[in-house]
């Protein structure tokens, strides 16, 4: 069963070719909004499924009309970013560029589509065919491809419009600027395309859909790149007024790119926006769909998460363990589940995936995602990778005060390495960046909020942050305060002795007195004192409280069992190990995120004090100190 299990490809282009995007596709609200025409601006993080919707719509028979996919690549990036027309502002020059590209692709579609209609080809379509031939744009459907360099030259160069009865030398003599001439040419072409749609009479039954995707390939976080995207938005909005229902444009834009834009007409796109976000239940359903598609038979959720996968991981329902460790994106889920399957096969587990397989896959997946985060934001935040050591081998919970101390130690180095980003490499700038990219969450009320929609920035009064579960394994930050588990090796042997012993051994333990018994009593009182302080510490984060209480109770439980062991245990060793643990825990609280909190300070001080007293008691004369 496990060998047949498969969850698909990482990227939509390959997933549609030999993956599960055809058979395991989930029609989300975002997808239906695009198909219905209610939304034309699809926004989301890398991996949330924007391209999946795009390539799905491009499949034959999915959209009732035609589709044309426009995807600029990095080879044309510099040319289209630097495109200018004298006499026009950058945004409007690039808007004309996109409008020209849309008009050419629409003309190509009309010429091809007209052959599917019976009867005589409309005059307007024949005119478009002559225009395309004259400008070397008449290519067969099988050859149709992006040609940004050719398109740029066409708009700014000697575009032939004789097919429309226009001779450039005479008819453009009065236009003074390059921008004005390009706008005049484009207006003629767009009118010709509009007439082509009217005379062919397909709309609205066969609306042409222009799909623009992978804009991150040509975006560089500079003014020219922003103008490129703003120009695209303006051109897409122009489509509706120019061609009516005959032509629609859908844009797929990464959220970090869209959110970085600032232009006066931005508020006019609000009703067109749709941000893709996934819930855990939606992703769980997606996993089930893809598992069914790969296995070829009906599979229930109970079977997937109880028979194919183990029912629990570390005591938690498997889906509840896996999903929070993704960034709630389909790509993450596909990679994570495929790695679990691959690990199981590698470990010889062919019938079902074991808990050990999931745990091993979790570590590798976490390492992947940490590297992927760097690549995802390399353009906007090239310093991101240098911030990760601030959280290495520490607790996943960190306060603003503790983070301030860590940043202070590295700030000069960061400023030297990234002088252009000095403003972003302050404490507030680092917190803002790490929150916006999803690396850190912030406590709000009773929960932890990670970047999503609406994206409310971190507020000045918010001072408790959590490393996202996705990255904790890779950074060795798997506990709230970096608390290690108390080593029970010695006391495990005590328990076995008590269980296998008899009532006489127990009786001897109960009546045993002297120095060892006194030491264990002191350790017991120290544990109860610490637990009492934690119970009264309202300002201590719940995760830290739960974590520390669990470990101190382990020590207390083991201490209470020690007197009953037969043969007798080494009380000195037990007390010294506990004292060392208290000391280490206090150091962790101060170093890894909680120093600066009054309750945490008090707890760290109490732990240090008890540790010191216990060490002195072991090394001193029995009964000499009178400490409790």
């Amino acid at each position: 069963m496990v060998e047949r299990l498969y969850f698909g490809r990482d990227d939509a282009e390959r997933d549609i070719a030999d993956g599960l995007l055809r058979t395991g596709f989930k029609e989300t609200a975002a997808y239906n909004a695009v198909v219905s025409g209610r939304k034309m601006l699809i926004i989301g993080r890398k991996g949330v499924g924007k391209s999946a919707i795009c390539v799905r719509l491009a499949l034959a028979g999915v959209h009732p009309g035609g589709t044309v996919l426009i995807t600029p690549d990095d080879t044309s990036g510099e040319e289209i970013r630097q495109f200018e027309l004298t006499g026009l502002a950058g945004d409007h020059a690039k808007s004309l560029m996109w409008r020209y590209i849309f008009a050419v692709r629409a003309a190509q579609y009309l010429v091809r589509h007209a052959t599917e209609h019976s009867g005589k080809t409309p005059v307007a379509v024949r005119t478009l065919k002559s225009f395309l031939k004259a400008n070397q744009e008449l290519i067969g459907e099988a050859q149709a491809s992006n040609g940004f360099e050719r398109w740029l030259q066409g708009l700014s160069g000697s575009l032939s419009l004789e097919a429309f009865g226009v001779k450039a030398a005479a008819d453009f003599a009065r236009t003074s600027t390059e921008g004005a001439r390009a706008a005049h040419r484009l207006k003629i072409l767009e009118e010709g395309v509009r007439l082509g749609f009217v005379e062919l009479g397909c709309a609205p039954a066969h609306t042409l859909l222009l799909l623009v995707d992978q804009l991150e390939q040509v975006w560089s976080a500079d003014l020219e790149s922003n103008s490129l995207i703003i120009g695209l938005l303006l051109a897409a909005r122009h489509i509706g007024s120019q061609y009516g229902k005959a032509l629609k444009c859908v844009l797929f834009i990464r959220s970090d790119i869209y959110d970085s834009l600032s232009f006066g007409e931005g508020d006019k796109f609000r009703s067109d926006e749709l941000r893709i976000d996934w819930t855990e239940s939606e992703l769980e359903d997606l996993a089930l769909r893809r598992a069914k598609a790969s296995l070829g038979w009906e599979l229930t959720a109970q079977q997937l998460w109880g028979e194919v996968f183990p029912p629990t991981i570390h005591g938690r329902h498997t889906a509840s363990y896996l999903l929070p460790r993704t960034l709630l994106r389909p790509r993450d889920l596909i990679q994570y589940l495929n790695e679990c399957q691959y690990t199981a096969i590698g470990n010889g587990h062919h019938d079902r995936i074991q808990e050990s397989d999931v745990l091993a896959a979790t570590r590798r997946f976490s390492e992947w995602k940490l590297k992927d985060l760097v690549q995802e934001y390399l353009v906007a935040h090239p310093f991101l990778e240098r911030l990760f050591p601030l959280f290495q081998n520490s607790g996943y919970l960190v306060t603003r005060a503790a983070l301030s101390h860590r940043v202070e130690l590295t700030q000069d180095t960061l400023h030297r390495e990234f002088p252009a980003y000095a403003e972003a490499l302050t404490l507030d700038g680092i917190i803002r960046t790490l929150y916006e990219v999803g690396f850190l969450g912030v406590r709000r009320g009773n929960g932890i909020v990670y970047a999503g929609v609406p994206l409310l920035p971190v507020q000045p009064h918010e001072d408790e942050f959590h490393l996202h579960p996705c990255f904790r394994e890779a950074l060795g930050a798997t506990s709230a305060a970096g608390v290690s588990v108390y080593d029970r090796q010695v006391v495990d042997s005590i328990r076995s002795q008590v269980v296998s012993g008899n009532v006489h051994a127990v009786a001897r333990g109960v009546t045993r007195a002297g120095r060892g018994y006194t030491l264990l009593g002191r350790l017991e009182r120290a544990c109860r004192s610490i637990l009492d302080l934690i119970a009264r510490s309202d300002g201590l984060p719940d995760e830290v409280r739960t974590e520390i209480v669990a470990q101190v109770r382990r020590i207390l439980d083991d201490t209470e069992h020690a007197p009953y062991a037969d043969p007798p245990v080494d009380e000195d060793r037990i007390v010294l190990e506990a004292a060392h643990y208290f000391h280490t825990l206090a150091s962790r609280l101060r170093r890894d995120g909680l120093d600066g909190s009054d309750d945490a300070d008090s707890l760290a001080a109490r732990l240090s004090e008890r540790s010191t007293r216990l060490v002195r008691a072991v090394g001193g004369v029995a009964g000499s100190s009178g400490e409790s």
Side-chain angles (χ1 to χ4, degrees):
M1 180 193 300
V2 174
E3 290 182 339
R4 293 179 56 193
L5 187 66
Y6 181 55
F7 293 93
R9 295 287 191 178
D10 295 355
D11 59 278
E13 291 75 20
R14 290 190 303 156
D15 206 29
I16 200 71
D18 60 357
L20 299 174
L21 194 54
R22 294 174 185 268
T23 55
F25 183 78
K26 178 178 173 62
E27 295 187 1
T28 61
Y31 173 79
N32 292 328
V34 174
V35 171
S36 66
R38 296 193 303 272
K39 299 293 182 179
M40 53 77 67
L41 181 51
I42 312 305
I43 305 164
R45 284 192 65 174
K46 182 179 180 180
V48 297
K50 302 185 302 300
S51 292
I53 294 175
C54 182
V55 299
R56 175 77 176 185
L57 287 171
L59 285 176
V62 174
H63 175 66
T67 58
V68 173
L69 181 61
I70 302 174
T71 56
D73 57 56
D74 54 2
T75 60
S76 58
E78 187 64 23
E79 288 81 2
I80 63 178
R81 282 195 300 270
Q82 299 299 327
F83 179 77
E84 295 179 347
L85 293 170
T86 57
L88 287 180
D91 297 354
H92 292 285
K94 290 182 174 63
S95 175
L96 293 187
M97 178 194 76
W98 285 110
R99 284 169 54 188
Y100 176 73
I101 292 170
F102 295 162
V104 169
R105 297 308 304 266
Q108 292 171 341
Y109 166 78
L110 285 169
V111 171
R112 292 195 308 270
H113 186 60
T115 62
E116 301 174 9
H117 287 244
S118 59
K120 189 176 181 180
T121 302
V123 173
V125 176
R126 294 202 301 270
T127 301
L128 289 175
K129 184 174 182 178
S130 297
F131 162 79
L132 293 173
K133 186 175 182 179
N135 291 280
Q136 297 181 331
E137 293 285 0
L138 187 61
I139 51 180
E141 183 174 6
Q143 298 172 297
S145 62
N146 294 328
F148 277 87
E149 184 177 353
R150 186 175 66 253
W151 293 330
L152 297 182
Q153 292 174 350
L155 182 59
S156 60
S158 56
L159 185 67
S160 173
L161 294 172
E162 292 189 16
F164 300 105
V166 177
K167 294 184 178 179
D171 296 331
F172 294 111
R174 297 181 181 180
T175 55
S176 57
T177 67
E178 184 183 31
R181 291 193 294 272
H184 193 176
R185 294 190 194 102
L186 181 58
K187 186 176 181 180
I188 294 171
L189 173 58
E190 287 181 330
E191 178 60 18
V193 173
R194 187 189 70 81
L195 289 174
F197 278 115
V198 171
E199 292 186 10
L200 205 56
C202 289
H206 297 107
T207 299
L208 174 61
L209 206 58
L210 298 178
L211 308 170
V212 184
D213 193 19
Q214 298 182 16
L215 293 164
E216 60 273 12
Q217 299 290 335
V218 293
W219 186 74
S220 296
D222 53 20
L223 291 177
E224 290 78 12
S225 296
N226 287 347
S227 288
L228 178 66
I229 307 302
I230 292 170
L232 173 61
L233 293 169
L234 297 175
R237 194 182 69 186
H238 174 80
I239 289 290
S241 60
Q242 176 65 35
Y243 304 109
K245 295 182 179 181
L247 178 62
K248 292 182 180 179
C249 185
V250 182
L251 313 180
F252 300 87
I253 305 179
R254 252 178 39 186
S255 54
D256 59 313
I257 296 177
Y258 185 75
D259 293 336
S260 70
L261 304 178
S262 178
F263 62 112
E265 298 183 81
D267 61 330
K268 297 180 181 179
F269 293 89
R270 298 307 181 201
S271 60
D272 293 317
E273 293 178 8
L274 189 151
R275 290 184 181 260
I276 300 180
D277 288 290
W278 290 76
T279 65
E280 289 188 11
S281 61
E282 288 173 333
L283 285 177
E284 189 174 348
D285 181 62
L286 177 64
L288 182 60
R289 285 172 178 267
R290 288 182 167 245
K292 287 179 182 179
S294 68
L295 293 175
W297 49 274
E298 282 301 314
L299 187 74
T300 66
Q302 290 76 18
Q303 289 173 321
L304 178 61
W305 306 117
E307 296 178 14
V308 180
F309 280 83
T312 60
I313 306 293
H314 280 335
R316 296 183 60 185
H317 181 264
T318 298
S320 299
Y321 176 89
L322 293 170
L323 292 170
R325 284 167 171 75
T326 71
L327 295 174
L328 295 184
R329 303 182 297 192
R331 182 176 298 168
D332 294 343
L333 183 67
I334 290 169
Q335 292 173 342
Y336 197 177
L337 298 181
N338 278 340
E339 183 61 16
C340 290
Q341 185 263 359
Y342 178 78
T343 303
I345 295 298
N347 291 334
H349 301 151
H350 302 283
D351 295 331
R352 59 181 299 170
I353 298 169
Q354 304 293 325
E355 181 174 359
S356 59
D357 302 324
V358 175
L359 295 176
T362 298
R363 178 57 184 262
R364 284 191 290 273
F365 174 74
S366 182
E367 292 170 350
W368 292 346
K369 292 297 105 179
L370 198 62
K371 293 177 182 177
D372 291 347
L373 191 70
V374 172
Q375 294 302 315
E376 182 176 352
Y377 292 99
L378 188 61
V379 173
H381 307 301
F383 53 83
L384 192 60
E385 187 174 18
R386 300 288 283 110
L387 301 180
F388 295 159
L390 299 175
F391 305 89
Q392 191 87 37
N393 297 321
S394 65
Y396 63 73
L397 188 155
V398 60
T399 63
R400 186 183 291 268
L403 188 54
S404 176
H405 177 65
R406 300 182 198 179
V407 170
E408 185 179 342
L409 295 175
T410 61
Q411 197 166 40
D412 289 344
T413 302
L414 290 171
H415 283 186
R416 283 196 304 272
E417 293 182 4
F418 304 96
Y421 296 87
E423 183 178 346
L425 293 172
T426 62
L427 174 64
D428 288 340
I430 288 173
I431 290 174
R432 180 176 61 252
T433 298
L434 293 178
Y435 174 67
E436 289 176 354
V437 303
F439 183 82
L440 284 183
V442 59
R443 176 171 290 282
R444 287 182 178 151
N446 294 325
I448 307 303
V449 177
Y450 296 95
V453 180
L455 180 59
L456 177 67
V458 175
Q459 302 301 298
H461 67 276
E462 294 174 327
D463 60 2
E464 182 184 324
F465 307 102
H466 289 233
L467 178 61
H468 195 287
C470 183
F471 310 111
R472 293 175 187 174
E473 288 285 343
L475 290 171
T478 54
S479 68
V483 177
S484 57
V485 176
Y486 175 62
D487 186 1
R488 305 183 70 160
Q489 182 176 358
V490 175
V491 295
D492 283 344
S493 65
I494 295 173
R495 288 181 178 280
S496 65
Q497 292 165 14
V498 171
V499 171
S500 62
N502 52 48
V503 293
H504 300 293
V506 172
R508 288 196 299 272
V510 171
T511 59
R512 183 183 299 135
R515 180 177 181 277
Y517 194 79
T518 301
L519 284 175
L520 293 174
R522 293 189 183 209
L523 177 54
E524 180 181 343
R525 289 190 293 275
C527 291
R528 295 192 185 281
S529 173
I530 293 168
L531 291 172
D532 181 63
L533 178 60
I534 294 174
R536 292 184 281 106
S537 299
D538 295 332
L540 205 61
D542 291 340
E543 292 87 348
V544 176
R545 181 198 308 274
T546 301
E547 203 167 74
I548 296 176
V549 165
Q551 300 308 316
V552 175
R553 287 195 180 279
R554 286 166 69 96
I555 298 174
L556 178 59
D557 186 39
D558 298 334
T559 304
E560 291 174 340
H561 280 83
Y564 301 95
D566 188 42
V569 298
D570 185 345
E571 294 90 347
D572 286 12
R573 180 179 177 184
I574 292 176
V575 173
L576 287 174
E577 285 180 346
H580 176 71
Y581 185 83
F582 291 156
H583 175 77
T584 302
L585 181 54
S587 299
R588 282 282 190 175
L589 288 174
R590 294 190 176 102
R591 193 197 76 181
D592 291 340
L594 295 177
D595 194 24
S597 161
D598 291 340
D599 286 332
D601 287 345
S602 297
L603 178 57
R606 178 69 59 87
L607 288 164
S608 295
E609 174 198 17
R610 292 301 177 181
S611 174
T612 301
R613 288 188 177 188
L614 290 170
V615 171
R616 288 176 180 173
V618 171
V621 178
S624 64
S625 68
E627 293 172 345
S628 62

